Amino acid sequence: MCGIAGLMLRNSGAIGKKLVGMLDGLQHRGPDSTGFALYRQPAADRMVMRILLKCSAETHEGKSRASKVLQILRGFGVEVLSDSYTQEHYRLEIAPVPAVKDLSYAVENQAGVEILSFGSALEIIKDVGSSLDISKRYGIEAFTGTHCIGHVRLATESIVDASRAHPFWAYGFSDVAIVHNGQITNYWKMKRRLQKTGYQFRTDNDSELIAVYLADKLDRGFSLEEVLARSVDELDGTFSFLVSTADGFGFAKDHLAAKPMVVLEKDDMVAIASEEVALNRLFPGESLDTYEPFPGAYKTWQLSTLAMSA
Amino acid sequence: MATIDAGDVGISEVNLKIRELAEKGENEIVLYNPDARHLISVGVIGKSKIKIKGSAGYFCGGLSDGPTVEIQNNAGWGVADNIMSGTVIVGKNAGAIPGVGMRGGKLVVKGNLGSRAGAMMKDGVIIGGGKANFMAGFMMMGGRLIVCGDCEGGVGQNMISGTIYVGGEIQSLGADAKFEEMEEGELEDIYQLLDEFDLPHPESFRKIVPEGKQLHYAKYERKLSPAKISVPEGPMWDKRLVEDIAVKADLGRYRVRSFGSARHIPTFDDIAFKITPEMVLSQKNPRARCRLDTVLGNKFASNPLRLKMPILIAPMSYGALSKPCKVALAKASSIAGIAINNGEGGMLPEERAAAKQMIYQCLSGRYGFSPHDMLRADAIEIYISQGAKPGLGGQLMGSKVTPEIAYLRGLPQGIDIRSPSRHPDVLGADDLIIKIQEFREVTAGRVPISLKIGAGRVNNDIKIALKDTVDFIEIDGMEGGTGASSSVVTDNVGIPSLAAIVQAMSGLDEIGCGGQLQVVQMGGIRDGVDAAKAIALGAHAVAVGTATLVAMGCTGCMTCHTGNCPRGIATQNPELVSKLEVDCAAARVASFLDSMGTEMAAIALACGVPSVHGLCRDHLVALSPQAAEITGLPLAREGDMLA
Ligand SMILES: Cc1cc2nc3c(=O)[nH]c(=O)nc-3n(C[C@H](O)[C@H](O)[C@H](O)COP(=O)(O)O)c2cc1C
């Protein structure tokens, strides 16, 4: 029960500021929490891991969790380039590693923390509060990059906290994130299936399931577009979701068309949001040439071409 | 011509200006910088022309009567919702449910129509110049829907009445819709309409109408002779069950029945006040010494309900109940100084006239829903579900759908009405916020907006209600009465009031919002003691349904749904209706309500509090381990009684 928004620019730009505005325009759809998945040009020489310590880094417990994280990383032979924190959020820059999933599970399970995102292009920042609020707290507006997705949440079943805020990182799969509006009704069935194949879940939120489901499919070698095509048939319920990777992004919409979504495509950008009001935040005063995708529709865009691939 | 720059002003301010100009008779109002914001130009009465220079968000031009609204670019969900007359023109595309619940007028979308165009429309015309998304004409109840381009699947799904014309390809027809040959002159009519809005003529049109198979139950229950049932009463088998199976064998479907719960569930009888009987009896003239007055819905509304005691008359529809019964209930509410809720099926003018305070219900089918009646209401309630049939819409069997009731509801006469199970424009808590804001815009924030929910996952639902900015919430336990429901659901789905009110309080407490949302508890409130118990558990007020009917003479024969009520209460048969004498019935109900007030006052005083709102959990004990488990109240033990 929420609002979602996404934006891809042909040339790197002020995506942080733009997404903050779009989500502010959607805040009525979800007052509980707000989150941002922001993408830079992928770096060849470093990856960023963002961690939720689940208590402030200023406290004794927070400090010990952060040092535990460093210890585990060293154990894996990972070179830590820098680290910093804001309240519960711990950010590390490390030299690139291949085994993203194994490393992530080790960090989470041993340090009692939660990884919000991990990748060479992606950073996820999410917390309880409004778009403007979180932007101020974490300096989102200053972020420049190529594409982003974001979310405002109105919790209906699970608890309101930073872990259950969106976007969800496609756990163990670097640089993949999703935001979702709706409700997955075959949640338990799909979750059990994925758990059997070794995936761990951190929340009871059905959107996390979509992230893991997509990651699993990508891991099996399907293209983003193939994954989305399958998702509209395999996921049951009402949904509109956005997924983003290091160099692409796309949407999928259920067969019932019960959740709103509006798309704006221009030569040098694509913007998607639950409501047109968010798109107008990018172009105040303009009449936009938007469309609402049909039920069961999905579509992807690649950064390199910013041309439609579906 | 007047202009408004919506750029930096709030939408309420924009709407106030539009309405002010419309009232003054300004014939052209131009709005700049709309930026796809929601609720532009809702609730406008009058013939003005409003030009929106850009895109509009949700419900643009909705709940209006008369104006011409021109949206230069796109419109969001629910454009022109529930308009009574006038014209709304969208220059490009419209989002989902365009023209939802329209009762007249014209909606013209030059581009594509979003999914479920014309859902629950009763009258008027919708024209789409381009394609139509999924399920065009979903549950349409009248009027015409004209689509010039192609249609996605499910055209005319569950349509009840009205006509759909499609100029392009049709992917598939929906359930209970069929093709029909065009009659002479029909095509010319369509072309004339298209010309009026400069739309090109498709070469031909196909016409879709309801097939009508789902408008009536295939079979009805026949009366069984009780003599044939000889099973003894026991824990496994009893007469009712034997009858149930016999009827199901006959019908091949669930039974429909009425009245309150017919099985044992924990009730307010399973808890008690920690006071000795003498303390209640010794209270002299309790009404004079105990405060019962209650303000309901003052969280956001400027004009909340002001009740002489914390009781409401529960929503019960005109249709399920007869006109004299509705009017008697309204009169009784006025005598008692409380409020009545109109229930499904539109505002009955006679009932409105007799009631000093009336809550006006908005249900999924939008039968008879109108902006004029919203402005006549003292509160507006969005019905999500009710205790007796959570997850199902209202039912009204054909025998009760008289010409007058059919007219009020905008439906064909004599059909077995099964209302939609959900609102066409509220598919989640996020849409609900916008609907609530729309109602606030139309009524300029004067009256309270409430939600009614059947008790299920109350703990979650109350948190959603709080975030959705309602003024109060009505929670209906599974034992709540009904005019007609599937007995499977009535007896087996949901949780009792006792559990519901406890969950409501704990849900609010969990998020640190205890006391921030007033709760009205209903379902199984039969006297002032039940009411006092609900209030002690945290309710701000209660509502009574079945008990008021019993007070006016209902014998509990459980046949409301058949329309053969022998007392003229739950029937539309003129002969039976004439048996109910309005003033006498009103006096009996008022007197019953008065007794409830006295009981509440006596209990409160006996507990040592000077106001019924001073009652709290500390005054209660549980009488069974089960009730203790549900409520968290201590079990009654020696020494528990207050001295
Ligand atoms: C004849 C009848 C008609 C009803 N119609 C409606 C209705 O239109 N809308 C609604 O919200 N509830 C309706 N209800 C349910 C009542 O509002 C209420 O939830 C219920 O009666 C409360 O339980 P009680 O009967 O034990 O007091 C109806 C109930 C009865 C008995």
Side-chain angles (χ1 to χ4, degrees):
Chain A
M1 303 297 134
C2 314
I4 57 179
L7 176 68
M8 181 177 260
L9 304 176
R10 185 190 282 163
N11 303 311
S12 183
I15 52 164
K17 185 159 191 235
K18 288 187 195 309
L19 189 57
V20 168
M22 288 171 86
L23 294 180
D24 180 51
L26 291 176
Q27 202 83 56
H28 55 274
R29 297 187 68 88
D32 289 335
S33 58
T34 310
F36 307 80
L38 305 157
Y39 289 82
R40 292 193 176 83
Q41 290 290 356
D45 56 350
R46 56 159 192 100
M47 294 179 87
V48 176
M49 186 185 260
R50 291 202 69 115
I51 288 176
L52 188 66
L53 293 172
K54 300 199 214 168
C55 63
S56 174
E58 314 268 6
T59 62
H60 177 70
E61 182 62 28
K63 281 197 185 95
S64 96
R65 281 186 200 166
S67 63
K68 182 84 193 168
V69 169
L70 290 173
Q71 197 187 329
I72 296 160
L73 290 175
R74 276 190 215 104
F76 269 76
V78 175
E79 186 193 347
V80 176
L81 306 174
S82 71
D83 68 338
S84 61
Y85 58 81
T86 317
Q87 292 159 355
E88 290 183 52
H89 292 247
Y90 187 41
R91 180 181 185 275
L92 294 137
E93 291 197 8
I94 63 175
V97 294
V100 169
K101 193 160 138 196
D102 294 342
L103 182 63
S104 304
Y105 280 152
V107 168
E108 283 209 342
N109 294 342
Q110 291 170 40
V113 298
E114 202 171 293
I115 301 180
L116 297 182
S117 68
F118 190 10
S120 55
L122 164 72
E123 291 194 43
I124 291 180
I125 297 136
K126 57 184 186 179
D127 208 342
V128 175
S130 71
S131 177
L132 297 176
D133 213 30
I134 290 170
S135 173
K136 240 181 253 148
R137 266 188 273 158
Y138 300 98
I140 311 270
E141 291 211 349
F143 202 101
T144 58
T146 48
H147 57 299
C148 55
I149 57 177
H151 188 270
V152 294
R153 174 166 190 241
L154 191 157
T156 51
E157 275 156 65
S158 59
I159 303 164
V160 175
D161 62 11
S163 347
R164 289 167 183 84
H166 298 217
F168 280 96
W169 175 42
Y171 201 81
F173 215 85
S174 69
D175 291 315
V176 180
I178 74 122
V179 288
H180 161 228
N181 176 24
Q183 196 174 27
I184 305 299
T185 41
N186 58 349
Y187 170 74
W188 292 106
K189 205 163 111 191
M190 301 288 285
K191 183 170 175 175
R192 273 195 294 272
R193 201 179 289 165
L194 288 162
Q195 276 170 331
K196 270 191 206 144
T197 61
Y199 286 96
Q200 295 177 6
F201 285 79
R202 279 118 3 116
T203 70
D204 46 4
N205 189 305
D206 56 357
S207 311
E208 184 189 9
L209 174 90
I210 302 181
V212 176
Y213 165 88
L214 298 177
D216 176 59
K217 287 271 188 298
L218 289 169
D219 202 23
R220 288 162 194 260
F222 292 101
S223 71
L224 185 60
E225 202 191 324
E226 287 166 335
V227 174
L228 292 181
R230 283 178 161 242
S231 73
V232 292
D233 290 323
E234 292 185 5
L235 296 174
D236 194 29
T238 61
F239 55 83
S240 285
F241 67 80
L242 302 178
V243 54
S244 49
T245 64
D247 58 355
F249 100 146
F251 71 78
K253 199 173 157 126
D254 66 45
H255 286 292
L256 294 172
K259 291 290 160 192
M261 183 191 276
V262 189
V263 183
L264 173 69
E265 293 186 66
K266 289 183 168 247
D267 289 343
D268 58 351
M269 64 164 304
V270 184
I272 306 177
S274 297
E275 299 169 2
E276 192 157 324
V277 66
L279 303 178
N280 259 122
R281 286 298 187 99
L282 302 172
F283 303 97
E286 279 186 40
S287 285
L288 303 174
D289 217 351
T290 62
Y291 65 91
E292 185 155 342
F294 276 28
Y298 58 89
K299 192 166 176 175
T300 61
W301 292 265
Q302 287 300 313
L303 199 52
S304 49
T305 54
L306 238 193
M308 188 179 75
S309 68
Chain B
M1 191 186 85
T3 61
I4 301 174
D5 186 347
D8 292 316
V9 264
I11 213 63
S12 304
E13 215 174 303
V14 170
N15 281 331
L16 280 179
K17 255 195 200 144
I18 293 177
R19 259 174 261 157
E20 205 181 276
L21 289 165
E23 259 159 48
K24 274 197 212 143
E26 177 64 58
N27 47 31
E28 189 166 310
I29 303 165
V30 184
L31 187 87
Y32 292 97
N33 295 310
D35 284 355
R37 279 186 293 164
H38 301 325
L39 311 175
I40 297 175
S41 190
V42 297
V44 178
I45 314 284
K47 298 257 177 248
S48 306
K49 185 169 199 168
I50 299 141
K51 290 185 164 172
I52 298 170
K53 295 294 186 188
S55 292
Y58 277 41
F59 301 126
C60 181
L63 288 165
S64 293
D65 193 0
T68 299
V69 180
E70 274 182 36
I71 303 156
Q72 185 192 50
N73 204 50
N74 301 318
W77 281 36
V79 61
D81 102 272
N82 218 125
I83 60 170
M84 309 296 287
S85 73
T87 306
V88 177
I89 302 166
V90 181
K92 286 187 183 159
N93 303 328
I97 40 165
V100 56
M102 261 173 65
R103 296 189 54 194
K106 291 183 191 131
L107 166 63
V108 183
V109 176
K110 303 247 165 129
N112 299 333
L113 291 165
S115 49
R116 305 183 300 280
M120 285 132 210
M121 73 185 284
K122 313 287 185 304
D123 207 349
V125 190
I126 299 179
I127 305 173
K131 298 186 213 169
N133 206 328
F134 187 58
M135 280 198 189
F138 173 55
M139 291 203 86
M140 193 172 165
M141 296 163 183
R144 285 180 292 170
L145 168 61
I146 302 166
V147 183
C148 296
D150 302 342
C151 281
E152 289 281 297
V155 178
Q157 173 83 17
N158 294 117
M159 66 189 291
I160 290 165
S161 184
T163 321
I164 305 174
Y165 302 95
V166 181
E169 301 275 314
I170 296 169
Q171 201 185 74
S172 66
L173 282 190
D176 219 28
K178 67 172 185 194
F179 289 112
E180 195 177 83
E181 285 301 313
M182 299 263 272
E183 278 166 36
E184 227 187 271
E186 264 184 291
L187 191 63
E188 287 67 47
D189 270 4
I190 297 174
Y191 284 156
Q192 214 175 338
L193 270 170
L194 295 179
D195 289 343
E196 205 183 307
F197 298 98
D198 297 326
L199 286 165
H201 294 189
E203 246 167 59
S204 63
F205 277 94
R206 296 191 77 182
K207 176 180 172 185
I208 297 149
V209 294
E211 193 169 17
K213 279 191 186 157
Q214 293 178 6
L215 299 182
H216 297 274
Y217 281 112
K219 282 186 183 174
Y220 296 96
E221 280 182 37
R222 68 192 160 88
K223 254 208 149 50
L224 288 182
S225 125
K228 286 198 188 130
I229 302 174
S230 51
V231 73
E233 298 288 319
M236 257 310 270
W237 291 94
D238 60 24
K239 286 196 172 129
R240 216 168 65 86
L241 198 55
V242 170
E243 188 190 285
D244 252 14
I245 291 175
V247 172
K248 285 179 191 167
D250 229 26
L251 299 178
R253 65 162 163 87
Y254 55 86
R255 295 186 79 177
V256 174
R257 72 160 188 79
S258 39
F259 205 67
S261 187
R263 55 172 288 220
H264 181 76
I265 50 171
T267 68
F268 289 106
D269 289 342
D270 298 310
I271 61 172
F273 284 99
K274 281 195 252 181
I275 40 176
T276 51
E278 308 83 75
M279 292 174 67
V280 185
L281 292 174
S282 64
Q283 301 304 328
K284 298 263 156 13
N285 195 8
R287 286 299 280 276
R289 294 189 297 121
C290 179
R291 294 197 59 175
L292 297 176
D293 55 313
T294 301
V295 177
L296 184 63
N298 54 350
K299 187 163 178 184
F300 302 103
S302 53
N303 296 355
L305 297 170
R306 294 182 192 281
L307 312 170
K308 287 223 175 92
M309 50 184 173
I311 301 177
L312 300 170
I313 295 186
M316 295 184 278
S317 69
Y318 172 49
L321 300 180
S322 67
K323 191 182 286 185
C325 170
K326 285 299 277 173
V327 175
L329 289 172
K331 282 193 170 181
S333 73
S334 298
I335 298 169
I338 63 171
I340 189 170
N341 187 320
N342 77 318
E344 186 156 33
M347 192 184 273
L348 182 62
E350 294 91 330
E351 182 188 4
R352 174 64 269 198
K356 289 216 177 97
Q357 297 182 78
M358 175 177 272
I359 305 174
Y360 180 46
Q361 248 189 354
C362 171
L363 296 96
S364 56
R366 306 285 155 86
Y367 307 136
F369 200 68
S370 112
H372 299 290
D373 289 338
M374 290 175 82
L375 295 171
R376 280 184 203 115
D378 300 295
I380 299 172
E381 175 162 280
I382 300 179
Y383 168 106
I384 302 294
S385 64
Q386 86 189 61
K389 44 187 164 186
L392 300 179
Q395 292 195 350
L396 191 66
M397 304 296 265
S399 57
K400 293 171 106 171
V401 186
T402 61
E404 188 196 0
I405 286 167
Y407 173 77
L408 270 177
R409 296 187 176 212
L411 288 171
Q413 178 189 335
I415 65 168
D416 290 325
I417 302 176
R418 277 164 285 178
S419 305
S421 60
R422 47 160 85 220
H423 287 266
D425 44 10
V426 178
L427 298 178
D430 38 17
D431 301 330
L432 181 55
I433 292 195
I434 306 173
K435 197 77 207 163
I436 289 166
Q437 284 171 351
E438 184 191 19
F439 287 1
R440 284 224 168 88
E441 283 301 317
V442 172
T443 55
R446 281 187 300 269
V447 302
I449 315 283
S450 64
L451 270 193
K452 172 168 176 174
I453 61 161
R457 293 189 293 186
V458 179
N459 187 291
N460 288 324
D461 291 348
I462 191 140
K463 292 174 192 155
I464 298 172
L466 181 87
K467 289 180 238 181
D468 277 346
T469 72
V470 292
D471 287 283
F472 64 94
I473 183 169
E474 302 201 328
I475 303 176
D476 191 15
M478 71 178 288
E479 63 269 56
T482 174
S485 306
S486 145
S487 64
V488 183
V489 175
T490 299
D491 289 337
N492 298 293
V493 178
I495 60 170
S497 289
L498 195 59
I501 183 65
V502 173
Q503 270 199 29
M505 294 301 121
S506 64
L508 290 176
D509 283 342
E510 273 167 26
I511 52 171
C513 295
Q516 289 186 25
L517 184 59
Q518 294 172 336
V519 175
V520 175
Q521 184 64 47
M522 62 177 99
I525 305 283
R526 299 147 303 174
D527 56 22
V529 183
D530 285 348
K533 287 173 181 170
I535 287 168
L537 285 172
H540 191 63
V542 298
V544 269
T546 307
T548 60
L549 306 181
V550 174
M552 68 168 74
C554 159
T555 60
C557 68
M558 294 187 138
T559 56
C560 316
H561 60 288
T562 64
N564 297 325
C565 172
R567 296 305 179 102
I569 294 170
T571 175
Q572 303 303 333
N573 175 335
E575 209 172 296
L576 296 170
V577 167
S578 69
K579 292 190 182 173
L580 192 70
E581 215 277 295
V582 174
D583 287 328
C584 170
R588 290 187 63 80
V589 175
S591 162
F592 167 68
L593 291 168
D594 193 54
S595 79
M596 285 183 75
T598 307
E599 284 163 355
M600 279 195 274
I603 295 229
L605 292 173
C607 289
V609 290
S611 152
V612 66
H613 294 293
L615 289 171
C616 66
R617 288 173 61 94
D618 293 343
H619 298 123
L620 295 171
V621 287
L623 300 180
S624 69
Q626 192 185 26
E629 182 76 19
I630 291 174
T631 58
L633 292 172
L635 262 176
R637 291 199 200 87
E638 271 239 46
D640 259 352
M641 294 292 133
L642 298 179

